[in-house]
Amino acid sequence: MKGQALKGHLDLLVLSVLAQGPCHGYGVIEQLRARSGDAFDLPEGTVYPALHRLEQAGLLESEWSEDSGRRRRTYRLSESGRGALVTERSAWEEFSDAVSAVLSGVPWPRPT
Amino acid sequence: MAETDLISDYLTALRGSLRWRADVDDLVSEADDHLRSAAERARADGLDAQAAQRHVIDRFGDAALVARAFALAPSGGIAMPTPFTRMTGTIALVGAAAWLITAPIVVLRADYLSEDWEPLYFTVAILMFVGATCTTLTYAGLLSRTGGARDVLAILAIGTAALGTLFLAVVTWAWIVGVGLLTVAALIPVLRLRDAGAAPRAARVLMVAAWPVAILSAIALDALQVGPVDSYGDYFLAQLIGLAVGCVLFGIALIGTGRWLRSELPARVPAAAAV
C-alpha cells in the first residue's frame, strides 16, 4: 500500500502503535510494518515529520537518551494523545463500518 | 579497501537539505539512529554491510523527499502555516496592489519636467513605501513558514529589506538602491522556499529577477536615449519605464507568493491527520 493510500490515517496508526508503550521512531515504523503484514510501504523518513507534528500538537511526548553511543529519541503517548486515539479510533470504526455496509450489498464484478 | 559509509553520505546530503532548520542536529541524529538500527537488523538477516546500508537508505527515502516532508511539517514550533504566515499572504497582496498601481503612474503621468512635479513624486514615494513595507512583512512570513524568522540569516534578510524600504521612502529618486536591497533580502526566503519545494516556482524566480530585469531595462533604454532629457542631463523616462517594468514583475511575484501563503490554513491543534 503506497503512502498516498495512507494519507489521512497515519496519525491514527502512529498513535495506536505508541499506545502499546514508548518507542523510538525506527521501532514505530517496524511495528507499523509488522502489524500491517508488510502492507504499509511508504518512505520511512516521511514518518518522522508525522511524529514531530503529533508532538507539536501535544499528542506525543519525547525524550533523548544515549544508546550504543548514538543519540536516540523515544516517543510516548501523552494524556491528550490517549484521548485523541479514542476519538479517532471511534471515528475510523464508524467510517469503516459504513463503507463495509455499502460494499457488502454489491456483488464483486467478474474478472474479464 | 575501506568500505564506503553510505549512511554517512546520506546523512550529509540530508543535513545539506535541512541546513536552514534550527533543529537540524536533532533531525539528523534521529535519522542516523534509524538508519544504523535498520542496517544492524539487515546485517543480522544476512546482508553484507554495503547491501544492508543500500537497503535501509532505499527504504528511508530520497534525502530531498524526506527533507521536503520535514520542511512542510511542524517540528519544534517552526515551519508550519500559522495565523501570522496566512496574514502575511494578505499583506503580500496589498503590497502587490501598491507596486502595480505605481507602474502606470510613473510612466503615464511622467510630467516631471513641469513645475508641478512634487505631488506626483510624493504619491509615487508613498506607494513605493507601502509596497516595500508589505514586501518586508511578506519576507518575514515566508521565512517563518520555511524554518523560522529568528535565525541570523533571516534577521539579516528582514533588516536588509527594512533598510531598502527606508531608502525608497526617503530617497525615492534613487529607487535602484532601494529595490537592490529588496532583491538581496529576497535571496534568503527564496532559497528556503526552493529547498522546501514551496510556493509557485514562477513567483520565486520573479521575486529575485524582477528588479534586476527592471534595472537592466532602465540602463538599456537610457543607452538608447529614450525620451526627453531633464535638467540633470538624464533620460528620466528610460529610468521610469524600467521602474514600471520592475513594479509589474515584482507585483506578480507578490501575488503568487501571497496567494500561496493564504491558501494554507494554520495548523490545528490537535493536528489534522496527513502523511
Side-chain angles (χ1 to χ4, degrees):
Chain A
M1 191 180 293
K2 296 297 180 187
Q4 193 60 25
L6 282 174
K7 193 173 178 65
H9 309 305
L10 185 61
D11 288 8
L12 172 61
L13 297 171
V14 168
L15 291 176
S16 70
V17 167
L18 288 169
Q20 307 295 312
C23 198
H24 57 291
Y26 175 61
V28 170
I29 293 161
E30 282 288 281
Q31 285 195 51
L32 275 176
R33 180 179 297 119
R35 287 163 63 175
S36 71
D38 284 333
F40 294 156
D41 179 25
L42 73 167
E44 294 172 353
T46 61
V47 174
Y48 286 93
L51 286 165
H52 296 178
R53 187 179 60 245
L54 289 168
E55 184 183 25
Q56 183 65 28
L59 306 184
L60 300 182
E61 295 165 348
S62 76
E63 62 181 19
W64 287 93
S65 60
E66 287 277 333
D67 185 54
S68 306
R70 291 202 297 266
R71 292 180 73 217
R72 172 162 287 177
R73 190 177 196 174
T74 302
Y75 296 88
R76 65 166 50 82
L77 211 56
S78 68
E79 279 306 310
S80 301
R82 290 188 193 285
L85 177 58
V86 170
T87 306
E88 293 291 323
R89 186 172 182 164
S90 170
W92 166 255
E93 285 174 349
E94 192 177 323
F95 174 74
S96 174
D97 288 348
V99 172
S100 297
V102 171
L103 292 180
S104 65
V106 181
W108 287 100
R110 291 182 180 176
T112 54
Chain B
M1 189 177 72
E3 290 177 336
T4 306
D5 188 350
L6 300 174
I7 291 177
S8 290
D9 292 345
Y10 179 88
L11 292 173
T12 301
L14 187 63
R15 180 179 288 279
S17 297
L18 293 167
R19 63 189 178 280
W20 305 116
R21 303 277 304 226
D23 54 353
V24 60
D25 289 339
D26 285 347
L27 300 179
V28 173
S29 288
E30 204 167 14
D32 181 41
D33 180 43
H34 177 111
L35 292 168
R36 304 282 177 200
S37 300
E40 286 164 8
R41 170 71 67 86
R43 288 202 71 176
D45 289 343
L47 291 180
D48 66 46
Q50 292 284 291
Q53 292 198 10
R54 271 195 298 273
H55 174 71
V56 301
I57 288 169
D58 187 50
R59 290 208 67 92
F60 201 74
D62 176 71
L65 171 75
V66 174
R68 191 161 296 182
F70 273 116
L72 295 177
S75 181
I78 56 176
M80 63 179 164
T82 63
F84 171 71
T85 62
R86 195 151 194 260
M87 183 180 69
T88 56
T90 305
I91 292 171
L93 296 179
V94 173
W99 289 116
L100 291 172
I101 292 168
T102 305
I105 291 178
V106 294
V107 175
L108 300 178
R109 299 196 57 200
D111 52 354
Y112 297 99
L113 290 179
S114 73
E115 293 178 357
D116 194 24
W117 59 271
E118 282 189 349
L120 182 60
Y121 177 83
F122 287 116
T123 301
V124 171
I126 290 168
L127 279 170
M128 291 181 73
F129 174 67
V130 171
T133 301
C134 292
T135 299
T136 303
L137 291 170
T138 302
Y139 290 171
L142 294 172
L143 289 163
S144 176
R145 177 65 188 84
T146 53
R150 294 180 185 174
D151 59 285
V152 174
L153 280 175
I155 291 170
L156 198 62
I158 295 169
T160 304
L163 191 64
T165 301
L166 191 65
F167 207 91
L168 285 172
V170 177
V171 274
T172 311
W173 57 269
W175 58 273
I176 287 178
V177 177
V179 299
L181 289 169
L182 289 183
T183 301
V184 170
L187 289 172
I188 300 300
V190 166
L191 284 173
R192 293 184 181 187
L193 286 169
R194 187 200 62 180
D195 283 357
R201 185 170 182 273
R204 298 198 310 256
V205 172
L206 270 183
M207 192 159 267
V208 289
W211 293 116
V213 168
I215 293 167
L216 289 175
S217 301
I219 292 170
L221 292 170
D222 189 78
L224 294 170
Q225 301 182 349
V226 171
V229 179
D230 63 15
S231 57
Y232 300 101
D234 293 330
Y235 292 93
F236 68 94
L237 189 59
Q239 284 199 25
L240 294 177
I241 292 173
L243 173 59
V245 168
C247 288
V248 171
L249 295 179
F250 199 74
I252 293 170
L254 282 180
I255 289 173
T257 49
R259 288 184 63 183
W260 174 71
L261 283 166
R262 279 191 51 75
S263 71
E264 294 191 309
L265 294 176
R268 290 185 299 120
V269 178
V275 171

